[in-house]
Amino acid sequence: MNRLHNMLCPFLKQHLVYPFNNIPLRRKILLSNLVINIILVLVTSFWAAQAVYGQLLTQSSYSLQKSFDQALSFINTKLEAAVSLSDAVVLNTSLNGIINKEYNNVVDANTNARVMRQLVRSYESTDGITRVRIYVNDNWNLAVDGKNICPLSQLQDPKLLEQLFSKKGLKLFLGSGYAEDEPYYAQHILPMFRVMYSTDNYNEIAFILRIDMDKQDFVDILSNVSPTSDSLSFLVDSNHSVIASSGALDETALESSLDGLLQLPEGEQTDISLSSGKYLALRSDIALTDWCMVTLVPYSSFFMNFQTAVRLIFFAAILIILVSLILFSLISYSITRRILILCNHINETNSGELIPINAPDYKDEIGLLYRNYNQMIVRIRQLLRENYNIGRNLKNAEYKALQSQINPHFLYNTLDMISWFSLQQKTKEVNEVVYSLAHFYKISLSKGMDIISIGEEIELTDCYINIQKHRFSNRIQYIKDIDPAICEYSIPKITIQPLVENAIFHGILEKKENAGTIELRGRMEDGIIHIMLSDDGKGMDSSSTILNGGAVSSSARLENPDGPGSHYGLKNIVLRLKLLYGPEYGLSIESECGKGTVIHLHIPALTPGQVSAGEPRV
């Protein structure tokens, strides 16, 4: 596990972290939000597609069941209408009287034959009925016309007669294949047969009734069942003969599957696999007949609807990403533009251009930095003007002290760290660093006063160390032991913080491990305040110019522009302390190469009101 971690970390840093750090802040915000937005949109789209697919299946299943039940009801209604019509014909006393009557003369026979034809034809006005006919014995002495009154010998199909006689007066619905009419007509009708036996002899046939129903009505009903264009619904009898269907049938492919289809649970939707693919099947028996209705819906049709929904989801996702990209671009521009303005003004301070930022007074963190920066610039200008009238040595020392308040590299690095924490969504760290930075500059301004309390100087130092701890990933440990009694006494502003800065950059960070501990202790003895600052950094040998009272070398300043040698050397601190408190006060340094450095600061216990930066004690 450790080996994998050691392999991945350098790779990720080289190919991901370092390139990302070099991207401008605006692009970082855009890229981060775009990646997050794409991930969220993809996850949401996948979830939506799953939900849509499930909803489509549920709706299609429900629609299929409702359409199937409705079609089944319509078919039963059609068949019941035919049965009711057959009851009306069979029970018609006038018709039975004509058929059972003996005729001795031709005139009466023909008259009654015309009456019977008119009576039979009157039933053809029923909706969906194409023809009604009666088959009578061939030796019947009434005239037959072959259309409404036909001889019994016209029925030649043995299977038909066998089934018909076995019913003993009950109804028999057959497919168009049993019709003996011309082929074109036979293809468009579904006949119903019913035998009427003689009232005197139940074994003797009085007549056979045939009612032809319009097959297209059944085809239309079956077509309305199908929820999709490639679905198929059909009627089939117990002999596996297809009676009617909503579309063209591949009877060869269907023939091998009919046994399985007819054995499906009645009224239940079932998944089946046929040679042509996977289907959702529904079967139900037709009352009054040996028919059953079957509906097959291919699963591919569900996927077609699903693909349409997926395309809509895809276009919606693209639209969301584009809109969010535009919004994020505007937001990132709004944020980074203000930070860039601040960075540009900070960079201009390197050339001595102390220009306040002219911008609206926003209440957010960047607005707070703007206000503190402007206050700092105004204060620096004021101090520069005041220091112009002070002695050369004190003026130079204080000028460098004031300039240290606006270390552009320190502020730039801090803002860059805030930006990085923001991209990582480390809200807590951002709040801590922004608060420390704002508090640092607030104390450094200190309402224009050059002399502040030791407590305020300790707070300023705490803010600085807190920022550097975040910057260097907590590699700097800080131990503080300050007697509360000394916090009310005075000290020149920005005295301890440069010493801490020097300990970090020229002591701890020059060690091989780039980590260490800083201790700050303070007490008062006999009216003298003793402050000790120690570190376990690189240390110095006895030949160091600092130990001998010299200034920091120019090479040290160039190598570390963030360090104290850049703006505020130890010699300047000593000079300020001696000018303010007298030659007996100042700094003493103890250091050993490789073991660390200890700095002792001695000043008198005076309140801020007892000391003035403009009244040196030389």
Side-chain angles (χ1 to χ4, degrees):
M1 190 67 181
N2 291 333
R3 183 178 179 183
L4 179 62
H5 179 269
N6 294 334
M7 292 175 60
L8 284 178
C9 282
F11 177 82
L12 292 176
K13 287 182 179 179
Q14 181 179 357
H15 295 89
L16 185 62
V17 177
Y18 293 153
F20 187 78
N21 287 339
N22 292 325
I23 298 175
L25 179 59
R26 184 182 179 187
R27 293 184 182 177
K28 288 179 183 177
I29 296 175
L30 278 175
L31 183 61
S32 300
N33 284 286
L34 184 61
V35 170
I36 293 173
N37 194 44
I38 288 176
I39 293 174
L40 291 177
V41 168
L42 288 178
V43 172
T44 304
S45 299
F46 178 77
W47 174 84
Q50 292 288 336
V52 166
Y53 181 66
Q55 188 66 21
L56 282 175
L57 285 179
T58 302
Q59 290 181 351
S60 298
S61 177
Y62 177 78
S63 176
L64 172 62
Q65 188 68 51
K66 295 293 289 185
S67 300
F68 188 88
D69 293 342
Q70 187 177 34
L72 191 64
S73 176
F74 287 163
I75 291 175
N76 285 329
T77 300
K78 285 283 184 184
L79 297 179
E80 288 172 358
V83 171
S84 297
L85 180 61
S86 71
D87 290 339
V89 174
V90 169
L91 300 177
N92 189 291
T93 56
S94 299
L95 181 62
N96 281 279
I98 294 173
I99 292 175
N100 295 321
K101 186 177 179 181
E102 294 289 339
Y103 298 96
N104 297 320
N105 60 74
V106 176
V107 176
D108 290 341
N110 291 334
T111 300
N112 283 281
R114 284 195 299 270
V115 173
M116 187 171 68
R117 280 194 295 271
Q118 292 174 357
L119 185 62
V120 172
R121 287 174 182 173
S122 66
Y123 292 111
E124 294 178 353
S125 61
T126 304
D127 183 35
I129 303 300
T130 61
R131 182 180 297 181
V132 178
R133 68 184 72 181
I134 294 176
Y135 294 89
V136 297
N137 291 323
D138 290 10
N139 57 0
W140 191 53
N141 56 359
L142 287 177
V144 296
D145 58 5
K147 292 184 178 180
N148 295 105
I149 302 175
C150 306
L152 192 58
S153 59
Q154 191 171 328
L155 294 175
Q156 298 295 330
D157 192 334
K159 291 183 179 179
L160 170 63
L161 296 175
E162 180 181 352
Q163 294 183 64
L164 192 58
F165 295 149
S166 64
K167 293 291 183 176
K168 286 292 183 181
L170 298 180
K171 285 70 67 177
L172 176 63
F173 292 93
L174 299 172
S176 56
Y178 291 101
E180 81 287 353
D181 304 88
E182 59 273 14
Y184 175 80
Y185 179 74
Q187 292 176 0
H188 295 81
I189 59 101
L190 291 177
M192 183 198 81
F193 292 89
R194 185 171 180 178
V195 179
M196 184 61 187
Y197 291 90
S198 174
T199 55
D200 298 332
N201 184 2
Y202 193 64
N203 292 320
E204 181 181 346
I205 296 176
F207 63 88
I208 295 178
L209 173 66
R210 171 178 168 175
I211 299 176
D212 292 339
M213 296 172 288
D214 190 351
K215 182 178 178 180
Q216 187 61 39
D217 290 346
F218 291 86
V219 172
D220 293 340
I221 293 173
L222 294 173
S223 298
N224 292 330
V225 179
S226 305
T228 59
S229 58
D230 54 351
S231 301
L232 182 64
S233 297
F234 56 90
L235 297 174
V236 61
D237 62 16
S238 58
N239 295 322
H240 293 185
S241 296
V242 176
I243 299 169
S245 67
S246 60
L249 289 173
D250 185 354
E251 296 186 2
T252 303
L254 193 61
E255 183 177 358
S256 60
S257 307
L258 279 177
D259 284 335
L261 292 174
L262 296 178
Q263 293 176 5
L264 292 175
E266 184 176 3
E268 295 182 10
Q269 297 183 20
T270 310
D271 294 333
I272 63 169
S273 295
L274 304 178
S275 58
S276 55
K278 188 177 180 180
Y279 292 82
L280 182 63
L282 192 59
R283 185 197 75 85
S284 181
D285 293 331
I286 306 295
L288 307 175
T289 70
D290 61 349
W291 301 351
C292 71
M293 185 172 73
V294 178
T295 295
L296 298 176
V297 182
Y299 269 92
S300 58
S301 62
F302 297 135
F303 284 105
M304 291 176 61
N305 295 331
F306 176 65
Q307 289 173 357
T308 302
V310 167
R311 280 194 290 269
L312 292 175
I313 293 174
F314 174 76
F315 288 130
I318 294 298
L319 181 61
I320 291 173
I321 291 174
L322 291 177
V323 171
S324 63
L325 183 60
I326 295 173
L327 294 178
F328 287 141
S329 178
L330 296 175
I331 294 172
S332 64
Y333 174 75
S334 174
I335 295 174
T336 57
R337 180 180 62 86
R338 297 166 61 201
I339 295 178
L340 185 60
I341 291 173
L342 181 59
C343 292
N344 290 335
H345 278 74
I346 292 172
N347 288 331
E348 289 177 358
T349 61
N350 288 328
S351 60
E353 296 288 339
L354 302 178
I355 303 174
I357 300 175
N358 185 15
D361 187 15
Y362 294 107
K363 304 300 181 182
D364 59 357
E365 289 81 358
I366 300 177
L368 177 62
L369 290 176
Y370 272 28
R371 290 191 295 275
N372 287 333
Y373 174 84
N374 287 338
Q375 292 175 11
M376 180 180 61
I377 293 297
V378 171
R379 180 57 182 157
I380 289 175
R381 286 178 171 180
Q382 179 183 355
L383 291 174
L384 288 175
R385 287 192 298 268
E386 292 176 356
N387 288 343
Y388 182 78
N389 298 319
I390 301 176
R392 181 178 299 275
N393 291 333
L394 180 60
K395 173 188 159 186
N396 291 335
E398 290 180 344
Y399 178 77
K400 293 180 180 180
L402 291 171
Q403 285 286 30
S404 70
Q405 296 177 60
I406 180 166
N407 185 335
H409 295 284
F410 164 69
L411 183 56
Y412 179 84
N413 290 332
T414 304
L415 291 175
D416 188 63
M417 177 172 58
I418 293 172
S419 173
W420 177 244
F421 283 157
S422 299
L423 291 175
Q424 291 182 325
Q425 298 184 358
K426 294 183 177 181
T427 307
K428 181 180 178 181
E429 288 79 356
V430 170
N431 289 335
E432 290 178 0
V433 174
V434 170
Y435 175 81
S436 297
L437 183 62
H439 202 53
F440 176 86
Y441 282 110
K442 181 179 180 181
I443 297 174
S444 68
L445 291 172
S446 62
K447 299 181 180 179
M449 295 185 296
D450 298 320
I451 304 300
I452 61 176
S453 68
I454 293 176
E456 290 176 316
E457 180 70 11
I458 296 298
E459 286 184 44
L460 184 144
T461 303
D462 291 345
C463 292
Y464 177 80
I465 291 179
N466 185 46
I467 293 172
Q468 298 297 3
K469 287 176 68 177
H470 280 89
R471 180 182 173 189
F472 298 110
S473 304
N474 290 317
R475 286 181 282 150
I476 299 172
Q477 302 300 317
Y478 178 45
I479 299 174
K480 182 176 65 173
D481 182 15
I482 303 296
D483 186 357
I486 71 172
C487 291
E488 63 184 22
Y489 293 101
S490 66
I491 191 171
K493 181 171 56 179
I494 312 178
T495 297
I496 299 176
Q497 180 267 330
L499 301 179
V500 173
E501 187 176 1
N502 188 73
I504 292 174
F505 288 97
H506 294 296
I508 293 174
L509 295 183
E510 289 192 3
K511 292 169 58 179
K512 183 177 180 181
E513 57 271 28
N514 289 331
T517 302
I518 293 176
E519 293 186 27
L520 181 63
R521 305 183 185 276
R523 69 185 189 281
M524 184 173 64
E525 293 180 2
D526 301 327
I528 305 297
I529 294 174
H530 300 273
I531 296 176
M532 183 192 73
L533 177 70
S534 65
D535 66 79
D536 58 355
K538 182 180 179 181
M540 298 176 285
D541 55 29
S542 60
S543 63
S544 172
T545 57
I546 296 178
L547 289 177
N548 295 325
V552 179
S553 66
S554 60
S555 60
R557 290 195 294 270
L558 292 174
E559 290 173 358
N560 190 1
D562 249 354
S566 303
H567 297 290
Y568 194 70
L570 295 177
K571 184 177 179 180
N572 294 321
I573 299 177
V574 174
L575 181 58
R576 292 187 70 207
L577 294 176
K578 291 183 180 298
L579 286 170
L580 290 171
Y581 300 117
E584 68 270 26
Y585 300 105
L587 301 178
S588 62
I589 303 175
E590 299 173 4
S591 183
E592 185 176 353
C593 189
K595 293 187 176 180
T597 301
V598 179
I599 298 177
H600 298 275
L601 188 152
H602 312 280
I603 58 175
L606 300 175
T607 62
Q610 296 174 309
V611 181
S612 171
E615 299 175 1
R617 293 172 176 262
V618 180

